[in-house]
Every structure is written in structure tokens, then in C-alpha cells.
Amino acid sequence: MAGNTGGRTAVRVLERMNISVLFGIPGIHNLSLYEGLSSGPIRHITTRHEQGAGFMAYGWGKSTGTPGVVLAITGPGLTNILTPLGQAFHDSVPMVAITTQIPSRFLSGRSGYLHELRDSTVMSSSVTKGSFRASSPEEIPHLVERALRLSVEGRPGPVHVEIPLDYLDEPCGMPPGEPVRREGPSLHEGLAGEAAGSLSAARSPVIIAGEGHGKILARGGLPHAALQIAESDDSHEKPPRSGNEKFSGIPVQYSKKHRRGKDPFFPGPGV
């Protein structure tokens, strides 16, 4: 279809926001998006199942820190990517799922349209930072950009956008915008100093170290405080508390030392 359609505009927004790879499966309900991909620089990786595409997008987001984007159709396509979306939500991985929806005129009731799924945004919102449906063709580029930015803001996570089929084929202009940039959480200098003073004055400070703390420390280039305290001479008086040893950043041998009886309050894996 000639000109800028909703599907082509959505792809142009992805290009502008520095998305270089997409994962998904072409289907009768999302061909308008693939028309836009055919004339652009974004590489598309086709999978045999939507869940595989979702986990590829999850892996991309986890390894690069930039949003992994997955394309799927409505109905079974969306339900098949709920598991990787939930995993991304649990692991704080930036990810964006763009799915289609039945034509807007059929959304108000049970029409029996192919792959009709009631309350799809409610369903996907339980495993995402947000789930949004385009209410007009003009809203498509704004929602796609919003989803990409939201996926990396604050605590990263997955975001879902769905677009009715008729909007994908209607004319849609490209609004101005800027590329997305990954920015880590900021901390006021005064608060950091206050926390350091409280820790220094504490008789038995405790560090609760989970999977996310290693990512935050690595991105900011900060010293690994948990490990430093764990290896200090008086670590038996102020042991760090960690959950899953594999992800906590605390060496396994240190955790085992405390589990052998030197730290009766060590909660162990899974806490």
C-alpha cells in the first residue's frame, strides 16, 4: 500500500528509536507491519513459535540493555508470548511486544471475529509495566515510542502495545521525536552520603543483595559494596543477605561459610 500507513509508521518509529532487530512470525493479522519492514534496515528474525520469538526478545534485552522487540498477532499470538513477558517482568528486562487486534468496529462486543480476544490489555498488564491499545491511527507512533521509553525507564521491564487491524492500513503521519537513550536511575548526592554515614555508624549493617543489584552497580561503574563487606575481616558481624546464590553477586563459598553455622540468620536460596 502506497504512502505512510499505520503499520509503516510504527516501523519508522522503531528505526528512529535505534531498534535494529525484531523477532516474530508473519501472519494474516500483521502483514501491514511487515510491509514496512521490507523497505527498511531493521533485521527480522522469524521463529517457529511466538514464545520462541518472545524469549529471543527477552535475551536481546537482557544481554544488551536495550529493548528487545517482538511482533505477534492478536489472540493466540499474544497468549503465546505471555510467558516471556512474565519472565522479563520478573527479571527487569527491557522488552516491547507489538501485537495486532481485531478491527476497531468489532471491539465492543462478541462478534466471533478470527482470533478475537476480550480484555487483552487487562490480561497482558498483569505481566508488563503497561499495556496500551491504539485508539486511532494517529496514536500509533506515540504509543510505540512511549512503550520503548517506558521499557528502559526506572526499573526496566516489558511493555505491550496492540493495534487494531484497520488502523494499520489507514494513513498515518510521522511525528517528530528523538532516539531512545538508556538512562540508569539517578541518586541525589546528599542521599548517598547520608546512607554511607548511617552504614558507617551502624554496629551490624546488613546488605540485602538480589539479582538486580549487580546490574545497577555494573551500569554505574560503582564498587561492589556487597562483595567488599562480604570479604572484610569482620564480615561475620555484618553478613550480606542474599537470595539465589547464582544471581546475588555474593560468592558461593562465602554463602556456604555462613550457612555452616557462622550466620544462623542466613536465609538461604530463594529468599
Side-chain angles (χ1 to χ4, degrees), residues 36-264:
L37 287 173
S38 64
S39 58
I42 296 180
R43 178 189 178 194
H44 180 271
I45 297 177
T46 306
T47 63
R48 293 180 178 272
H49 193 278
E50 288 90 356
Q51 190 175 94
F55 275 114
M56 284 183 175
Y58 164 88
W60 180 275
K62 190 174 182 69
S63 61
T64 67
T66 60
V69 182
V70 56
L71 300 181
I73 64 170
T74 185
L78 174 58
T79 57
N80 283 340
I81 61 174
L82 287 179
T83 298
L85 284 174
Q87 189 69 45
F89 186 75
H90 174 271
D91 294 343
S92 303
V93 172
M95 180 175 166
V96 172
I98 300 176
T99 66
T100 53
Q101 180 54 278
I102 64 175
S104 57
R105 65 184 181 276
F106 296 111
L107 288 173
S108 58
R110 293 184 175 180
S111 61
Y113 198 92
L114 180 64
H115 295 336
E116 179 180 359
L117 185 64
R118 300 189 69 199
D119 299 328
S120 53
T121 54
V122 175
M123 177 182 66
S124 55
S125 65
S126 64
V127 289
T128 60
K129 293 178 69 175
S131 180
F132 312 103
R133 176 187 296 164
S135 59
S136 67
E138 294 74 25
E139 196 176 14
I140 293 174
H142 299 287
L143 282 185
V144 173
E145 180 172 338
R146 178 186 178 188
L148 289 166
R149 294 189 185 280
L150 180 59
S151 70
V152 296
E153 287 177 356
R155 178 176 179 176
V159 182
H160 170 238
V161 173
E162 70 174 26
I163 308 170
L165 289 174
D166 49 329
Y167 296 164
L168 289 173
D169 291 326
E170 292 183 15
C172 180
M174 183 72 174
E178 297 180 357
V180 65
R181 294 179 176 86
R182 175 73 177 94
E183 296 182 2
S186 58
L187 181 64
H188 191 277
E189 255 184 61
L191 292 177
E194 184 179 339
S198 298
L199 283 171
S200 299
R203 187 174 64 182
S204 299
V206 173
I207 290 181
I208 301 176
E211 179 182 359
H213 84 288
K215 300 176 186 177
I216 295 174
L217 291 173
R219 286 178 187 145
L222 301 174
H224 205 312
L227 183 55
Q228 288 182 343
I229 289 183
E231 293 178 340
S232 63
D233 293 336
D234 56 348
S235 62
H236 62 282
E237 295 180 2
K238 46 186 176 184
R241 302 291 196 258
S242 62
N244 191 322
E245 295 168 348
K246 187 169 70 171
F247 301 116
S248 69
I250 306 299
V252 173
Q253 62 270 24
Y254 176 82
S255 301
K256 288 181 177 178
K257 175 183 74 173
H258 285 280
R259 198 186 308 143
R260 284 197 298 265
K262 296 187 177 181
D263 178 14

